[in-house]
Amino acid sequence: MSTTKRPIWSGLPAQLLGMVVVLGFLAWMMAPPAQKKKPGYDEDGVNLDKIVITKEQSECDRSLTRILSGLQPGRLGIKSAPADLALELNRWIAKCGSDIDENLTQDAQTQRELLSEELFNRLQDERFLIEDAAHVRLSLLSKTIATQVCAGTENDAERCMALFQFVVRNIILTDSESATSPTVPATPYEALLWGQGSAEVRAWTLAVLLRQLRIDAVIIAPKEKPSQWLLGVQIPQGSLRLFDLRIGLPIPGPDDVSTSPFPTVAASLSDVRNDNTYFRKLDISDSPYPLTKDDMQEFTVHLIGTPSLWSKRMAKLHFMLEHLAGTEIYDGLGTNALRPEASQLQRMIQAGKQSSLWKEEEIDVWDYPIQQVEAVVKALVESESLYNLKMQIFAGPQIQQIDSRTKKAVIRAADHTLHATRIEQLQGEYNSALPHFGPILTSYQTNSTPLNEEAAHFAAFWIGVSQHETQKLSAAVDTFNRFVSTVRQSQTQLVPLEQMRQSSSDWKTIINLSQGKLKDAIRTKKEATASSPSRRNVYLLNRWENIQKTEQSTKSDD
């Protein structure tokens, strides 16, 4: 980008950043010349082959390497603290990023129009904050998940559906208003780590994952029924597809393959505005789906993001890292040099114009992510908060061992904590996670504490997930059956055991279907529907029974 001075960095570890050789990196990073120049020279006549990396630059490299290592999902919050990494980032940017052109972002006016004065000031703050370190960690984790989950997909619509299924299966829906399940603030990182969350945080998580693919997602809130919002995903060069994160289903579209166990294509916003058919597919007896085509004639488009994502300081860090880490950590609300083709707001304005479905004045910012970030930061500094209690569960288990020197029993954290092992699992390292869950599962037997028992509940469930992902399908079914029959009550009320039991049934049907055992899947779903007649369960049961009828009819014709 020719409007900004770009510092030269070298010496960063290849395994951390995927860096190419130094000279190749330097040559690539230089802006294209305005006129012809000698090979190996920049436009100012400087011989690139004779560039000397200064001691100061080398120190910057080492500092950045250390900071990035600490921000990794497997380290931040486990072996490094967000406050410490935020401080390190401030020191680094002050020393090594001072020559970044201030014109990197030009969206202050847009921010003023869309945000409160307090929020605007937070975005303009040059200092990195605790939530910024957490935001980078979440972005890194999201990049890894999106890459792994979307492997083998052929287009953006398939990638979107794959990530949607990942979110639904890995974040169990919890009732945020339940009296028996305390509300704990969460960002997508906590929702993924804990494997549970509200419909709102599910939608936010999917938007964060899609951002790593540069696919936009927004909240579509009907003006007469704003609580019945849907997540809209803007497929590039396509339409806005609709997903209901409360029931864990896309709105079935006109091109959906009815012989597939799960919906394959989501209806577009245009589809549901013109035809009631798509919403009516989700009706169940005595309970019609709460939206109609008339409800979708007027709506608000809510942009999804946080102060960290939109801030000038994050733009600077993204500028220094984007070609090294390949992770999206910044997306400006308005005009900026990092996405010169269009900002987040501009892209949605353009999509509205192209589809003739919404106008610029119908776009604003979704307040839920902003509120949750603030709540998490507040909870972090309150030692007795439910948030910190839950994180203590994941910092364990605390195991009892005999000290080799004193020969006395001592209590210490396990080598592989629940936090670290769950991150392994989320990143697709199932073969590593599986044996690490074992000691967590049995830790309470030698050190029977409430927190160890809670950790064991999570481990018992996620062992089944890892077994499924490593194709140990029979073992996975046994694990989920054992979980349902043996798991006890949550002593802290922070483990959603009833929802985890229901999810165990869902995983068993997924295994049945992958084995071609449709009849077994139907039987399992019927049992689940009898105890939990949710809209999702009824819809899927009806879909699978129709597939079974079609297959039986085909066989009889033959």
Side-chain angles (χ1 to χ4, degrees):
M1 297 168 190
S2 58
T3 60
T4 308
K5 299 177 183 178
R6 186 187 295 275
I8 298 172
W9 304 112
S10 64
L12 298 176
Q15 64 273 24
L16 179 63
L17 300 174
M19 187 176 183
V20 296
V21 295
V22 173
L23 291 179
F25 167 68
L26 293 173
W28 181 84
M29 291 288 270
M30 291 297 168
Q35 69 273 351
K36 296 179 71 173
K37 61 183 188 320
K38 298 178 181 179
Y41 289 76
D42 70 6
E43 56 257 48
D44 296 321
V46 177
N47 189 336
L48 299 179
D49 293 332
K50 294 186 178 180
I51 289 180
V52 177
I53 304 302
T54 66
K55 179 180 179 182
E56 180 179 352
Q57 288 169 335
S58 179
E59 291 175 354
C60 285
D61 294 344
R62 287 194 295 270
S63 296
L64 182 57
T65 300
R66 184 179 65 255
I67 293 169
L68 289 175
S69 176
L71 289 170
Q72 294 298 313
R75 294 186 63 86
L76 189 64
I78 302 173
K79 298 180 180 180
S80 57
D84 294 339
L85 267 296
L87 181 61
E88 288 291 322
L89 278 171
N90 285 322
R91 290 172 176 168
W92 180 82
I93 203 75
K95 181 177 182 181
C96 306
S98 58
D99 61 345
I100 298 177
D101 195 325
E102 290 300 315
N103 289 327
L104 197 61
T105 61
Q106 306 100 34
D107 60 349
Q109 185 57 39
T110 301
Q111 292 176 359
R112 284 187 183 277
E113 293 172 356
L114 290 174
L115 307 172
S116 67
E117 182 177 357
E118 179 185 355
L119 200 55
F120 170 78
N121 291 333
R122 198 188 312 172
L123 265 65
Q124 297 303 307
D125 196 337
E126 296 286 347
R127 297 171 300 125
F128 283 94
L129 308 174
I130 291 175
E131 54 264 41
D132 296 328
H135 168 75
V136 174
R137 173 185 61 183
L138 172 61
S139 300
L140 292 167
L141 177 61
S142 299
K143 178 67 175 182
T144 301
I145 291 173
T147 301
Q148 172 229 333
V149 171
C150 295
T153 56
E154 297 182 354
N155 54 58
D156 287 326
E158 288 185 9
R159 285 185 271 277
C160 176
M161 192 63 73
L163 288 173
F164 172 75
Q165 294 293 356
F166 176 87
V167 168
V168 169
R169 293 174 182 178
N170 285 277
I171 301 179
I172 297 171
L173 183 66
T174 53
D175 185 356
S176 58
E177 298 179 358
S178 171
T180 59
S181 179
T183 300
V184 183
T187 72
Y189 183 82
E190 287 82 16
L192 288 165
L193 175 65
W194 300 338
Q196 63 188 89
S198 65
E200 289 83 359
V201 81
R202 273 177 152 190
W204 181 11
T205 302
L206 181 53
V208 167
L209 293 171
L210 289 167
R211 181 174 293 118
Q212 295 305 320
L213 305 178
R214 291 203 165 188
I215 298 176
D216 289 310
V218 293
I219 296 297
I220 302 296
K223 289 189 176 180
E224 295 299 319
K225 297 179 180 178
S227 63
Q228 297 299 324
W229 55 266
L230 298 169
L231 184 75
V233 177
Q234 183 63 51
I235 303 298
Q237 290 80 49
S239 55
L240 189 86
R241 306 292 177 84
L242 299 177
F243 297 82
D244 189 330
L245 275 300
R246 293 178 196 79
I247 61 175
L249 289 170
I251 307 302
D255 298 322
D256 179 38
V257 179
S258 60
T259 55
S260 171
F262 297 96
T264 57
V265 178
S268 71
L269 180 56
S270 180
D271 290 331
V272 301
R273 281 165 56 91
N274 295 323
D275 191 340
N276 258 327
T277 301
Y278 310 109
F279 284 144
R280 301 288 63 81
K281 290 180 180 180
L282 296 172
D283 291 343
I284 60 177
S285 59
D286 301 324
S287 179
Y289 188 74
L291 290 173
T292 68
K293 69 174 186 177
D294 293 336
D295 296 323
M296 304 304 293
Q297 300 309 308
E298 294 186 356
F299 54 87
T300 302
V301 178
H302 297 306
L303 302 178
I304 302 175
T306 63
S308 294
L309 177 72
W310 300 320
S311 67
K312 181 184 296 186
R313 58 188 178 274
M314 199 59 63
K316 289 184 177 181
L317 185 60
H318 185 104
F319 179 73
M320 304 300 293
L321 298 180
E322 64 171 335
H323 298 302
L324 300 181
T327 303
E328 301 291 327
I329 64 173
Y330 169 81
D331 192 1
L333 274 175
T335 304
N336 64 88
L338 296 175
R339 295 287 293 269
E341 75 284 1
S343 68
Q344 187 179 14
L345 175 62
Q346 290 164 345
R347 294 193 301 272
M348 293 316 299
I349 291 174
Q350 291 171 5
K353 287 181 178 178
Q354 291 170 0
S355 63
S356 299
L357 292 175
W358 64 83
K359 300 177 181 179
E360 179 177 353
E361 55 267 27
E362 294 171 317
I363 304 174
D364 64 14
V365 169
W366 195 28
D367 58 5
Y368 179 84
I370 297 168
Q371 294 169 353
Q372 288 298 297
V373 168
E374 292 174 351
V376 167
V377 172
K378 182 180 179 181
L380 275 169
V381 299
E382 297 176 353
S383 59
E384 301 300 319
S385 69
L386 291 175
Y387 177 93
N388 281 323
L389 178 59
K390 194 152 192 172
M391 293 305 286
Q392 285 179 38
I393 296 172
F394 280 76
Q398 301 296 317
I399 61 175
Q400 179 175 294
Q401 288 187 334
I402 302 300
D403 185 277
S404 59
R405 185 177 58 86
T406 64
K407 308 302 181 184
K408 294 182 178 180
V410 294
I411 303 296
R412 65 173 184 82
D415 291 335
H416 299 283
T417 65
L418 182 60
H419 191 155
T421 304
R422 172 60 171 168
I423 293 300
E424 281 184 320
Q425 185 184 56
L426 288 169
Q427 294 184 130
E429 300 170 14
Y430 302 108
N431 285 313
S432 296
L434 195 50
H436 294 161
F437 278 128
I440 299 171
L441 178 63
T442 59
S443 61
Y444 74 95
Q445 296 175 359
T446 56
N447 184 26
S448 181
T449 67
L451 297 188
N452 275 5
E453 187 166 344
E454 301 291 56
H457 289 323
F458 284 111
F461 178 78
W462 287 328
I463 284 173
V465 176
S466 289
Q467 287 170 331
H468 166 265
E469 298 294 346
T470 53
Q471 296 301 303
K472 299 177 176 66
L473 301 183
S474 296
V477 170
D478 291 341
T479 296
F480 289 125
N481 284 334
R482 188 164 51 251
F483 179 88
V484 170
S485 62
T486 63
V487 73
R488 296 185 290 178
Q489 297 297 313
S490 170
Q491 297 193 45
T492 64
Q493 300 300 313
L494 294 174
V495 186
L497 291 178
E498 183 55 40
Q499 291 91 335
M500 291 167 76
R501 290 187 185 98
Q502 295 170 15
S503 185
S504 294
S505 174
D506 290 339
W507 278 106
K508 286 196 295 181
T509 62
I510 291 169
I511 294 169
N512 292 152
L513 293 168
S514 70
Q515 295 174 317
K517 299 177 180 179
L518 179 60
K519 184 177 179 180
D520 290 345
I522 291 174
R523 183 178 64 252
T524 302
K525 184 59 72 177
K526 280 184 176 179
E527 294 171 355
T529 304
S531 60
S532 177
S534 66
R535 192 176 303 278
R536 174 184 172 83
N537 279 345
V538 173
Y539 171 83
L540 290 177
L541 179 58
N542 289 338
R543 186 181 179 101
W544 298 349
E545 287 179 335
N546 287 334
I547 294 173
Q548 186 181 55
K549 290 176 183 176
T550 301
E551 291 179 350
Q552 291 172 344
S553 175
T554 302
K555 288 180 181 179
S556 63
D557 291 342
D558 293 340

